[in-house]
Amino acid sequence: MSSEPNVLKRVLANAGTLLGGRTVNAVVGLAYIALTARGLGKELMGVIVLINAFAQFLGEVAKFQSWQTLLQYGASALLQGDRPRFQQVLRFTLLLDSLGAAVGVTLGVIGALLFGHFLGWPAALSPAAACYALSIAVMDSATSVGLLRLFDRFRFLAAEQAVSSTVRLIGCALCFTLHAPIEAYLAAWAAGTVTAFVYVNSVALWDLNRRQLLKDFTLRGPLSEGLPGVWRFAWATNFSGTIDTAFSQVITLVVGSVLGPAQAAMWRVGRQVADGMAKPAKLLVPALYPELAKMRATGGEDAMRRLSRQIGLIGGAVAGVLLLVSILFGDDVLTIVMGKPFAAGAGIMNWQVAAAAIGVLAMPLEPMLVSLGKAGLALRVRAMVCAVYLVALVPLIRAAGLDGAGAALVAVAAALAIGMYLALRRSLAAETARPKDEQTCAEGQNGAKGLSQ
């Protein structure tokens, strides 16, 4: 009990560390997007948004959330000093990352060349889009991110996205100054992705070596043997993560396909601001996962519940503030940052911020489910809610434009929060009932022994 305040303090401290880097990233990110918008105009800016959304969508679909597998199966091995088993988990997650990268790049290059005109960009830009799709291979260093979270190296993680955005800003500033074509802006965006990949992998490799966890490590050896349910967990978190992160990219692609690149740019700008406003609270989630994994490994389910409730209350307070700021100052923010042509996007941005606020309020629910070993249940909830939204998305956009997509986004955020809450409530009830059932069985066996004597 006495250590629980320390755990909350550690979660908040780690989230604060991430916030420092992400605050820089949010400011720099808006800057390079603003330069892109001002340098290319709304239409070509929308084309870049669509190409980037396509690449990110395929990257999210193909990749495994291997950092979650590393935390779930590697935390106990690390705490117990079991280096061979930890290295086995590491070998397994590296395999997942390699498979995801290969599939993502293949689908990205072929898709960009064959189907680009259906997604809203001119056929002449399909070769450039295919080249950009090569960056899918380095879009996410999931295993390295998981290692740094597990090792409490959040100050290094804080710089990852800031490094990417800074490189993009420098590249876009050069493009803006030189009046460069759209292909140069795409190269600048891709350079940021590559730089962040090199950075986070270098730090993770250094920390592994410092802890002597690479001693006698080899890529050849057992993968899933002795790790019960690891493939099922990996697939479940992969699909759940894919639905979560690729979901926003799908919306951007659908908006661009139905309404054109200019409206896709408006949607993307609104989402960038909404994500930036919600980021301080959402950063509690990556700081929360490793603590829940460690608590689960040591049998601290009650402590997990209390910690999640505390995080939920903090998130709820932040959610209310960010929504109020968006309603009062949204149009001014867009005018100052992006220019007057984008001020009309304030209305859709308010819908996006409202959806983000609901997500912030409910943010501890899914980490709790995953940490309790219920990743498949979280996946089913997310899949059902998102499937309904995607089926209704095109008719809604055609009927009400961007406002239709925004209102539905708020509805899906609320439905997802309710679904996760009900799933978690059922799972916790089952966890509570299990010890009682085991105790009853033990008492029955003891009673039977007494009668036989």
Side-chain angles (χ1 to χ4, degrees):
M1 290 288 291
S2 61
S3 65
E4 288 176 33
N6 293 332
V7 174
L8 177 61
K9 192 181 296 184
R10 190 159 59 243
V11 170
L12 294 175
N14 287 334
T17 301
L18 288 174
L19 177 59
R22 298 297 174 88
T23 300
V24 173
N25 178 63
V27 174
V28 177
L30 278 175
Y32 80 72
I33 286 178
L35 282 171
T36 304
R38 292 173 183 270
L40 295 177
K42 223 170 16 174
E43 193 74 23
L44 285 179
M45 164 70 178
V47 171
I48 283 192
V49 163
L50 291 173
I51 292 173
N52 182 65
F54 171 74
Q56 287 194 319
F57 167 71
L58 286 178
E60 297 298 341
V61 167
K63 83 172 184 184
F64 287 86
Q65 300 292 319
S66 55
W67 66 269
Q68 293 196 34
T69 304
L70 183 70
L71 290 178
Q72 187 76 2
Y73 288 87
S76 59
L78 186 67
L79 291 172
Q80 294 164 12
D82 189 346
R83 187 170 61 197
R85 186 155 65 93
F86 182 83
Q87 290 181 342
Q88 180 185 351
V89 176
L90 179 60
R91 185 162 46 243
F92 181 79
T93 59
L94 287 173
L95 171 67
L96 296 181
D97 289 351
S98 301
L99 289 173
V103 172
V105 168
T106 302
L107 293 177
V109 171
I110 294 173
L113 292 173
L114 297 182
F115 306 111
H117 56 291
F118 292 113
L119 297 171
W121 62 76
L125 287 176
S126 288
C131 290
Y132 189 80
L134 295 174
S135 67
I136 293 172
V138 294
M139 276 190 173
D140 192 77
S141 313
T143 293
S144 295
V145 168
L147 287 169
L148 296 182
R149 287 176 180 173
L150 191 59
F151 297 157
D152 252 358
R153 295 293 185 179
F154 285 86
R155 64 192 178 95
F156 292 105
L157 277 176
E160 180 193 5
Q161 289 192 354
V163 166
S164 173
S165 293
T166 301
V167 171
R168 287 182 175 184
L169 175 61
I170 293 170
C172 288
L174 287 172
C175 293
F176 182 81
T177 303
L178 299 173
H179 305 288
I182 186 173
E183 291 86 353
Y185 282 91
L186 281 170
W189 283 40
T193 303
V194 173
T195 306
F197 176 84
V198 172
Y199 163 79
V200 77
N201 279 280
S202 298
V203 175
L205 188 63
W206 163 77
D207 210 353
L208 279 170
N209 191 57
R210 189 183 67 85
R211 295 167 184 267
Q212 296 189 331
L213 290 171
L214 290 177
K215 187 177 180 182
D216 301 322
F217 176 73
T218 174
L219 292 174
R220 301 179 66 179
L223 291 171
S224 58
E225 294 87 345
L227 302 175
V230 68
W231 275 110
R232 186 170 62 252
F233 181 88
W235 280 112
T237 51
N238 172 36
F239 287 129
S240 186
T242 294
I243 293 170
D244 181 28
T245 50
F247 182 64
S248 60
Q249 310 302 337
V250 170
I251 299 173
T252 303
L253 291 171
V254 171
V255 168
S257 179
V258 176
L259 300 178
Q263 293 300 299
M266 298 287 278
W267 178 271
R268 176 65 173 83
V269 167
R271 186 169 66 82
Q272 179 78 12
V273 176
D275 287 349
M277 293 176 70
K279 188 63 73 179
K282 286 186 174 182
L283 288 177
L284 290 168
V285 173
L288 181 61
Y289 261 113
E291 299 301 335
L292 290 176
K294 292 170 186 175
M295 287 179 174
R296 178 63 172 168
T298 55
E301 282 84 1
D302 289 338
M304 291 170 67
R305 298 184 203 190
R306 284 188 287 272
L307 178 62
S308 294
R309 277 197 296 268
Q310 292 167 332
I311 296 298
L313 289 173
I314 294 170
V318 174
V321 172
L322 69 90
L323 182 56
L324 182 63
V325 169
S326 176
I327 292 171
L328 294 177
F329 306 110
D331 52 347
D332 294 326
V333 170
L334 288 178
T335 300
I336 292 170
V337 176
M338 307 302 301
K340 263 195 170 180
F342 287 87
I348 185 59
M349 186 182 74
N350 287 336
W351 286 114
Q352 292 169 313
V353 172
I358 295 171
V360 167
L361 182 62
M363 65 183 173
L365 300 177
E366 188 168 5
M368 270 289 287
L369 277 170
V370 172
S371 298
L372 288 170
K374 303 293 183 181
L377 183 56
L379 167 63
R380 289 194 293 273
V381 171
R382 187 175 292 280
M384 286 190 292
V385 172
C386 293
V388 172
Y389 177 78
L390 291 176
V391 168
L393 184 58
V394 172
L396 284 169
I397 291 175
R398 285 177 175 160
L402 288 180
D403 284 328
L409 189 63
V410 172
V412 80
L416 192 58
I418 293 170
M420 290 292 181
Y421 170 75
L422 294 176
L424 179 58
R425 185 175 176 181
R426 191 177 77 182
S427 298
L428 289 174
E431 288 282 325
T432 304
R434 188 174 297 119
K436 293 180 180 179
D437 293 341
E438 292 171 356
Q439 184 179 2
T440 302
C441 291
E443 289 172 352
Q445 290 172 356
N446 290 332
K449 289 179 181 178
L451 288 173
S452 65
Q453 291 172 355

